[in-house]
Amino acid sequence: MNFPTFDIPERALELTALCLRFNPANYTTWWFRRQCLASLSTPPTSDFESKYTYFSENFIANDLMLASKLGGSNPKNYQVWYHRRNLLEQSFSDMTSDSDTECGSVLELVNEELEYIAGVLDKDSKNYHAWSHRQWILKIINMESKWTAEIEYINDLLEADVRNNSAWNQRWLVSHRGSKSKPFPVEAASEEVNFVISKAREDPYNESPWRYFVALIKEQFRLIASSPEFVSLVDTCENALKEVKEKFELESKKDGMECTHLIAAHIDILEMKGDEDSLSSAVEFAILLESRYDPVRKKYWKLRAQQLQVVAN
Amino acid sequence: HLDTNRLTLLHFAVHSLDILGFFDNDSNLEYYGVNKQYIIDWIYSLQTYHSKNRALRIEKSRNRNDVENNESSDSQYHGHGCGGFKGGTFLGFTQNINMTESESFHQYEGFKHYDQGHIAMTYTALCTLIALGDNLEKVDKPSIIQALKTLQLQDGSFQSTYPGSENDMRFLYCACAISFILNDWSGVDADKAVEYIRACRSFDGAFALIPGQEGHGGSTFCAVASLVLMDRIDSELNNGDVCGSSWRDELIQWCVSRQVEGMQGRPNKSEDTCYSYWIGGTLHLLGCDHLLDKEALDQFILSCQTDMGGFSKLKNGSIYPDLLHSFYSLAWLSLSNSNVDDDTSIS
């Protein structure tokens, strides 16, 4: 759609910056600003075609700075994050190489942007917008080196806070290279289980690693359900889980059943195993959670126990 | 900063009052100087010009007792994806239904390309109009449906406004709610929308705002509510894993696990009153809200009332109340059906 551009877009541009200082959430102002930037930008060739709006390099740099300034006190403003994305879409979607040397200045831009996001996450490690933007970058550039580096970044975050659910989610995304159609091969799943268990050990009450743990196993279940590899994986997982519980009981002198997320994960595993003994253990655990250990969710665990009982019969 | 969202604020205020029974009593309206028609007119003044113009013609033709067919004159106004409502009077000016057609057209020329509806504002406008007893007669339904068509993307999600915006589960939900209210689903490709919802399933069984992101209470509600509105909830959630535990079961476990005393929006985050609606509402839609410890939850919410009245997001004397948390607290409490002592405990 062709919109009228003004006679003096530079002046209009200045005005938008002023208006945005008053209200950085005014999406019409942002959009109008982008119209001005686009009308002042000259694409590299006369027949340049792109599905994204073209902005010249200096405008991109300048407006990223503007967005950073406005974003500072408004880290959860959708329009500011969207502006960043709009500015970068053209450059990032052009990256087809995985070679660091070939990508040049765009790679620099990528690194700067990832650093910017890391800065925002430093202030609030669970800022949903920041994570969405980060995921968008990793997916659109799709560079193996960046995926690998991201695991390191996630590990650092988990060192700082093993309960950071956003970091756990990012780990899932990165391990799957941003796509649900790239599940863990079973050997990799085993290795990943080791990592997860090591983290779960730090605080067995922590929900996040146990959810991740169950998701790993369920993914394999969906792929290779009754294969010997799966049976072996599940046994390994169950033993690892039991070990965490025992170690916890030994060290804390507390009842491992208190770690309700650990027990919930165990119930899920037993359900997947599906044999009579496993199912009746699962029912027992659910009843214990209901009657004693997870009072807030007692109605839920009662239902779960009933459902498991039906399967067992 | 909330200029573009004033309609949302109105939505929170009106619905909160509605839940409290404020509008049932005319003496309340008189005492507080609340004029329902005035509010309704204000909302309609936010309908985009293209739509408003039709509203003007409907009004006039009704007065003249004839029906004019003005389809041809519509073409002089750009009618792409711009139907619906704006969130406030930040753009152009508040158009008065009494302004003459030539007066408003003349002023419109200056800003017509920027006069775009916003899907969330359209949604809240419709809800609020209904709550105020309006029959939606002046709503330009075809424009809105056309806008939905324009706003839906290839992946099934929706943007909020025609020139472009971020796209995520929030706007998909708005599209479904709008279609349901207007009883016209021709603006939504439901199969694609369902595909997007599927793609947004997080590793832990909830729904994220965009594919790959963290499962979150708000997006989970939007996803489940959308499926219910599209009448696809059973076919989607009852997909089994063969091991007996279906998506529905995983989702329910995730939701009930969000309860600390109040509800948290994601694992390991703090409780916040608004999640009692997002998560409680999700469970309600699944017929499972009885699985929550409603007593503890309702107690938590009531303890988040402030000395000024209203609800804040946390149980803490130094946090102020706000419209959003007040509305969602009341919304959940009204769904909850637990034994709250009528109005005495809600100050």
Side-chain angles (χ1 to χ4, degrees):
Chain A
M1 176 151 76
N2 282 325
F3 283 85
T5 51
F6 281 65
D7 290 335
I8 317 171
E10 293 92 342
R11 170 79 178 122
L13 205 60
E14 259 177 62
L15 276 172
T16 60
L18 180 67
C19 292
L20 289 169
R21 276 209 294 281
F22 281 108
N23 184 0
N26 190 323
Y27 52 87
T28 306
T29 312
W30 279 114
W31 171 63
F32 179 72
R33 184 177 175 84
R34 285 190 288 271
Q35 295 284 292
C36 295
L37 292 175
S39 76
L40 290 166
S41 297
T42 324
T45 54
S46 56
D47 55 359
F48 181 79
E49 256 186 58
S50 168
K51 64 178 192 167
Y52 301 119
T53 315
Y54 179 82
F55 302 112
S56 52
E57 250 180 66
N58 57 314
F59 280 143
I60 294 176
N62 189 61
D63 261 53
L64 284 174
M65 240 181 354
L66 171 72
S68 303
K69 284 205 185 105
L70 290 172
S73 50
N74 303 286
K76 298 189 184 181
N77 171 317
Y78 282 98
Q79 290 74 36
V80 178
W81 286 105
Y82 182 69
H83 191 62
R84 297 192 84 89
R85 178 170 154 155
N86 243 269
L87 292 167
L88 298 166
E89 263 171 344
Q90 177 56 58
S91 331
F92 285 8
S93 66
D94 274 347
M95 288 182 82
T96 49
S97 165
D98 199 3
S99 155
D100 286 9
T101 49
E102 276 172 41
C103 301
S105 66
V106 184
L107 185 60
E108 233 180 87
L109 208 49
V110 169
N111 290 334
E112 277 167 16
E113 195 65 5
L114 289 173
E115 223 180 280
Y116 171 75
I117 301 169
V120 174
L121 290 172
D122 205 37
K123 299 195 194 111
D124 174 4
S125 62
K126 302 180 187 184
N127 181 327
Y128 208 86
H129 302 259
W131 282 114
S132 295
H133 190 57
R134 199 172 178 91
Q135 289 190 351
W136 172 72
I137 294 174
L138 291 170
K139 283 196 223 184
I140 196 171
I141 59 172
N142 196 23
M143 286 175 71
E144 187 54 33
S145 58
K146 293 303 172 199
W147 287 120
T148 320
E150 189 71 359
I151 292 280
E152 290 308 311
Y153 177 66
I154 292 164
N155 287 349
D156 288 343
L157 288 175
L158 290 176
E159 282 289 311
D161 177 10
V162 73
R163 288 170 207 82
N164 186 337
N165 198 63
S166 307
W168 282 105
N169 182 75
Q170 188 75 344
R171 193 179 171 95
W172 185 267
L173 177 98
V174 172
S175 307
H176 291 73
R177 292 303 184 263
S179 165
K180 285 190 180 178
S181 59
K182 295 183 187 148
F184 278 103
V186 69
E187 315 78 35
S190 289
E191 261 182 64
E192 188 72 350
V193 164
N194 291 337
F195 175 83
V196 179
I197 288 289
S198 72
K199 291 298 175 189
R201 237 180 246 128
E202 288 178 37
D203 174 14
Y205 289 100
N206 181 5
E207 182 177 356
S208 299
W210 292 120
R211 295 253 170 236
Y212 195 95
F213 178 72
V214 168
L216 270 171
I217 303 169
K218 282 198 174 174
E219 184 175 63
Q220 296 305 310
F221 181 89
R222 284 183 201 113
L223 294 167
I224 55 172
S226 44
S227 68
E229 288 86 359
F230 180 73
V231 171
S232 155
L233 176 72
V234 161
D235 280 341
T236 311
C237 287
E238 199 184 357
N239 290 333
L241 182 151
K242 285 181 180 170
E243 230 184 274
V244 173
K245 186 179 175 195
E246 279 156 18
K247 189 156 181 282
F248 167 79
E249 288 178 333
L250 208 64
E251 286 173 6
S252 70
K253 311 278 185 253
K254 288 192 191 166
D255 186 345
M257 288 296 302
E258 277 183 30
C259 303
T260 57
H261 298 294
L262 182 160
I263 305 299
H266 199 176
I267 292 173
D268 284 343
I269 290 179
L270 292 165
E271 187 180 25
M272 273 185 271
K273 285 173 77 171
D275 59 274
E276 211 181 301
D277 286 338
S278 296
L279 287 170
S280 68
S281 295
V283 172
E284 264 176 52
F285 280 134
I287 291 175
L288 280 168
L289 288 176
E290 176 225 333
S291 56
R292 200 167 144 196
Y293 292 99
D294 198 6
V296 167
R297 274 161 280 280
K298 65 173 181 253
K299 292 185 191 141
Y300 169 75
W301 289 117
K302 181 171 179 173
L303 180 68
R304 183 105 169 94
Q306 283 168 355
Q307 286 171 341
L308 289 163
Q309 192 66 67
V310 166
V311 181
N313 295 345
Chain B
H1 280 206
L2 288 173
D3 251 359
T4 50
N5 283 17
R6 286 173 63 203
L7 199 36
T8 310
L9 296 178
L10 179 68
H11 165 76
F12 292 151
V14 167
H15 282 286
S16 295
L17 289 171
D18 199 23
I19 289 170
L20 293 169
F22 178 84
F23 291 107
D24 300 336
N25 189 339
D26 278 343
S27 57
N28 274 336
L29 298 175
E30 218 183 287
Y31 181 77
Y32 287 99
V34 173
N35 182 331
K36 286 206 291 194
Q37 192 56 48
Y38 181 78
I39 302 174
I40 290 169
D41 286 346
W42 185 80
I43 296 173
Y44 274 117
S45 77
L46 297 172
Q47 208 171 188
T48 57
Y49 181 76
H50 174 76
S51 304
K52 226 173 328 211
N53 196 261
R54 284 174 83 125
L56 274 169
R57 289 196 302 275
I58 293 169
E59 179 86 16
K60 271 196 254 172
S61 65
R62 217 186 315 117
N63 292 338
R64 281 199 299 262
N65 271 335
D66 65 354
V67 178
E68 254 176 62
N69 182 359
N70 277 308
E71 293 307 323
S72 54
S73 60
D74 274 351
S75 60
Q76 67 184 293
Y77 307 124
H78 78 300
H80 278 288
C82 65
F85 291 76
K86 291 170 285 195
T89 51
F90 63 95
L91 182 69
F93 53 90
T94 309
Q95 287 208 39
N96 183 319
I97 207 96
N98 298 316
M99 192 180 284
T100 67
E101 197 164 334
S102 59
E103 273 175 355
S104 54
F105 176 69
H106 179 70
Q107 299 196 39
Y108 174 61
E109 272 307 293
F111 68 95
K112 70 181 182 195
H113 294 281
Y114 307 98
D115 190 35
Q116 308 281 343
H118 184 291
I119 205 175
M121 301 308 136
T122 302
Y123 161 61
T124 51
L126 293 174
C127 289
T128 313
L129 285 168
I130 293 172
L132 292 167
D134 184 74
N135 64 4
L136 305 187
E137 200 182 46
K138 297 200 202 104
V139 172
D140 185 353
K141 192 171 116 168
S143 274
I144 291 173
I145 302 299
Q146 176 59 43
L148 295 184
K149 283 196 189 122
T150 314
L151 295 172
Q152 188 167 26
L153 302 176
Q154 273 306 309
D155 65 1
S157 69
F158 286 78
Q159 292 185 318
S160 64
T161 170
Y162 175 62
S165 78
E166 71 278 11
N167 57 296
D168 56 48
M169 195 65 79
R170 298 172 294 157
F171 305 136
L172 193 153
Y173 166 66
C174 291
C176 289
I178 290 166
S179 302
F180 184 85
I181 290 170
L182 297 179
N183 194 24
D184 183 343
W185 287 89
S186 59
V188 173
D189 182 333
D191 288 338
K192 283 219 166 123
V194 170
E195 257 177 58
Y196 186 78
I197 293 174
R198 261 188 229 139
C200 284
R201 204 156 164 257
S202 54
F203 75 91
D204 56 359
F207 290 97
L209 210 55
I210 58 173
Q213 251 285 42
E214 214 182 334
H216 181 285
S219 41
T220 295
F221 175 83
C222 289
V224 172
S226 298
L227 288 172
V228 169
L229 291 168
M230 289 189 283
D231 198 17
R232 302 283 284 259
I233 188 82
D234 290 328
S235 57
E236 281 312 299
L237 291 193
N238 291 341
N239 276 317
D241 270 338
V242 182
C243 68
S245 163
S246 67
W247 290 7
R248 189 191 152 95
D249 296 331
E250 277 186 23
L251 177 60
I252 290 169
Q253 186 178 108
W254 188 89
C255 288
V256 300
S257 301
R258 284 323 106 232
Q259 182 163 24
V260 181
E261 188 196 353
M263 307 299 290
Q264 60 187 186
R266 302 177 251 169
N268 291 323
K269 292 236 13 178
S270 12
E271 301 149 280
D272 175 333
T273 46
C274 68
Y275 291 110
S276 39
Y277 177 76
W278 298 125
I279 312 256
T282 299
L283 288 168
H284 185 86
L285 288 171
L286 297 172
C288 289
D289 58 331
H290 62 280
L291 299 177
L292 291 170
D293 182 343
K294 278 194 192 174
E295 225 177 271
L297 177 56
D298 293 355
Q299 276 313 306
F300 171 82
I301 297 166
L302 291 173
S303 68
C304 292
Q305 287 183 96
T306 72
D307 294 337
M308 297 170 226
F311 294 80
S312 72
K313 77 183 231 185
L314 292 172
K315 194 168 37 179
N316 184 328
S318 66
I319 303 285
Y320 292 108
D322 61 69
L323 278 175
L324 184 148
H325 290 95
S326 299
F327 169 61
Y328 288 117
S329 298
L330 288 169
W332 164 253
L333 289 172
S334 87
L335 282 177
S336 170
N337 285 327
S338 62
N339 294 328
V340 177
D341 292 333
D342 290 325
D343 306 293
T344 56
S345 47
I346 304 176
S347 49

